[in-house]
Amino acid sequence: MGHQGALRQRSRSGAWQAARRILCVRLDGLGDLVMTGPAIRALAESGARRRITLLTSKAGARAASLLPGIDEVIAYEAPWMKATPAGRGSEPDGRMISRLRAATFDAAVIFTVYSQSPLPAALLLHLADVPLRLAFCRENPYHLLSDWAEETEPQETIRHEVRRHLDLVAQVGARPTDERLRVEPRRQAREKVVDLLGRHGLVGARDWYAVHPGASAASRRYPPESFARAISSLWRRQRLIPVLTGSGEEAALTAAIVDAAGVPAVNLAGRLDLHELTALLEQAPLLLSNNTGPAHLAAGVGTPVVDLYALTNPQHTPWQVPARVLYRDVPCRFCYRSVCPQGHHACLRGVPPDEVAEAVAELLARTEDRSAAAPAGECGDRTALAGVP
């Protein structure tokens, strides 16, 4: 990371290596937590008899059971996070401080994206008497962090979010045995998915693919009519059957896409919980998706991804799986907005459905024997963001 990014250490030498009870703080949602998984595993694997506790949001807590290396999960609606309801008062924060103090953690790592400040979480941990506290920080935190790495993003470089977290824990000697994303669905979820696919003759078949057309942010959604045209094209070309997924709230969206495509399809929106969705992606030959949580779940089970990648953020491309990342470059790229601030949504609307269908067909052909496919690098297809600063 260079001189400016060097760890600013004030803790006693060897304290991190001796730490046994470690708290990982990641207060975001599904995809962000999955991308923190390799760094959490690094902490778990880098010391003897370590116990890892995750402090996360309610959405993160639902996803945490998929991640290896986590022993305990604490859900917390932090007042400095956007998803937390306003006006709840400070009583929950006082209770959380008391709970963390009673747990007597040896150390804590605060994981953030570069637009987030670690200082609110650092103050929480300081008040809870956690002695070792590590994070990236833009300003000097003085005594709120015992150990910190200077925040150099985005002014010097922008890293993939997985790499960012791995770089942070490496500063205290934590490295994973492998850097891939890992998610593990429950056995019962795998059994249910095999049964569902078996009813449609798709178990072990290669003539289908998963489609996840939703996303929490409107700025990251490829138009439904374009999804329908791409699906229709893939049926005409290769008789590929789409299996659509989504939440219960997205069932109308997936039904509309199936109706518009006019091809045989399996619509599982609203019928799968998170473990079952992960198990489906584990079985799928490929996922076609917006840039959203299921794209990272697919990477976590080694499934190739065609990612319709709105240029809201450059850090979240599929990690170490074969991938195609589709977008159109725009002057307003990397806006970090949930709704397109220009209103044209050109970074996604500019991608022709035939290009999407071609990418799916090409990637399926290239990964026909997925067991022999090697990781494609940090961002899948490394040509994905070529020409985008």
Side-chain angles (χ1 to χ4, degrees), residues 194-274:
V194 167
D195 180 63
L196 278 172
L197 293 175
R199 297 177 200 175
H200 298 279
L202 299 180
V203 174
R206 297 285 302 174
D207 61 345
W208 68 281
Y209 60 105
V211 184
H212 193 89
S216 59
S219 59
R220 291 187 281 114
R221 297 177 198 148
Y222 190 58
E225 61 274 17
S226 296
F227 265 116
R229 288 170 56 195
I231 287 169
S232 179
S233 177
L234 283 163
W235 174 256
R236 291 196 311 272
R237 292 176 183 216
Q238 296 180 239
R239 291 296 190 261
L240 292 177
I241 300 170
V243 176
L244 287 88
T245 63
S247 66
E249 292 77 13
E250 293 168 331
L253 167 67
T254 56
I257 291 172
V258 169
D259 286 346
V263 305
V266 179
N267 187 358
L268 297 180
R271 298 177 59 187
L272 304 175
D273 65 22
L274 192 57

Side-chain angles (χ1 to χ4, degrees), residues 16 19 36 80 154 182 193 215 328 355 364:
W16 279 94
T36 313
W80 58 91
R182 298 285 189 192
V193 164
R328 284 296 178 270
E355 182 178 327
L364 276 173

Side-chain angles (χ1 to χ4, degrees), residues 34-355:
V34 171
M35 286 187 285
T36 313
I40 293 173
R41 293 201 315 272
L43 290 166
E45 296 167 0
S46 297
R49 301 184 303 280
R50 280 191 165 168
R51 179 175 177 82
I52 304 295
T53 298
L54 174 68
L55 181 67
T56 188
S57 65
K58 286 186 176 180
R62 290 191 290 271
S65 59
L66 289 162
L67 300 184
I70 297 173
D71 299 295
E72 180 187 13
V73 178
I74 301 172
Y76 175 46
E77 292 185 303
W80 58 91
M81 300 302 292
K82 179 174 65 174
T84 300
R88 66 171 177 76
S90 62
E91 185 178 347
D93 309 307
R95 290 198 302 268
M96 183 55 64
I97 290 168
S98 297
R99 179 175 179 177
L100 297 179
R101 184 185 296 116
T104 62
F105 292 106
D106 300 314
V109 181
I110 302 166
F111 295 104
T112 60
V113 295
Y114 64 71
S115 60
Q116 296 171 330
S117 170
L119 295 182
L123 177 59
L124 184 86
L125 300 175
H126 169 70
L127 295 174
D129 296 324
V130 180
L132 300 175
R133 303 173 300 277
L134 169 67
F136 284 113
C137 195
R138 200 169 301 282
E139 58 268 64
N140 190 331
Y142 295 101
H143 304 298
L144 287 182
L145 293 172
S146 64
D147 305 86
W148 62 287
E150 186 173 341
E151 181 65 85
T152 60
E153 295 186 81
Q155 64 272 24
E156 291 186 14
T157 185
I158 297 179
R159 291 166 285 191
H160 194 285
E161 191 170 327
V162 177
R163 177 58 57 202
R164 171 184 171 83
H165 302 320
L166 287 169
D167 286 349
L168 179 63
V169 298
Q171 299 280 0
V172 292
R175 293 174 174 82
T177 52
D178 76 77
E179 296 185 345
R180 288 174 290 179
L181 301 186
R182 298 285 189 192
V183 289
E184 298 175 357
R186 297 188 184 103
R187 176 180 57 82
Q188 297 92 329
R190 286 177 166 133
E191 291 172 351
K192 176 178 175 178
V193 164
V194 167
D195 180 63
L196 278 172
L197 293 175
R199 297 177 200 175
H200 298 279
L202 299 180
V203 174
R206 297 285 302 174
D207 61 345
W208 68 281
Y209 60 105
V211 184
H212 193 89
S216 59
S219 59
R220 291 187 281 114
R221 297 177 198 148
Y222 190 58
E225 61 274 17
S226 296
F227 265 116
R229 288 170 56 195
I231 287 169
S232 179
S233 177
L234 283 163
W235 174 256
R236 291 196 311 272
R237 292 176 183 216
Q238 296 180 239
R239 291 296 190 261
L240 292 177
I241 300 170
V243 176
L244 287 88
T245 63
S247 66
E249 292 77 13
E250 293 168 331
L253 167 67
T254 56
I257 291 172
V258 169
D259 286 346
V263 305
V266 179
N267 187 358
L268 297 180
R271 298 177 59 187
L272 304 175
D273 65 22
L274 192 57
H275 277 261
E276 292 159 357
L277 171 61
T278 306
L280 177 79
L281 296 175
E282 188 177 48
Q283 292 282 333
L286 178 144
L287 171 67
L288 169 61
S289 174
N290 295 313
N291 173 31
T292 187
H296 306 300
L297 292 177
V301 293
T303 295
V305 181
V306 172
D307 194 341
L308 288 153
Y309 199 87
L311 292 183
T312 57
N313 186 323
Q315 300 168 281
H316 298 158
T317 49
W319 177 261
Q320 293 196 354
V321 289
R324 289 289 308 277
V325 181
L326 306 180
Y327 62 91
R328 284 296 178 270
D329 194 13
V330 288
C332 53
R333 59 183 173 267
F334 310 151
C335 65
Y336 301 94
R337 300 289 293 275
S338 296
V339 177
C340 176
Q342 302 298 321
H344 52 59
H345 209 197
C347 60
L348 279 184
R349 287 189 176 276
V351 179
D354 282 346
E355 182 178 327

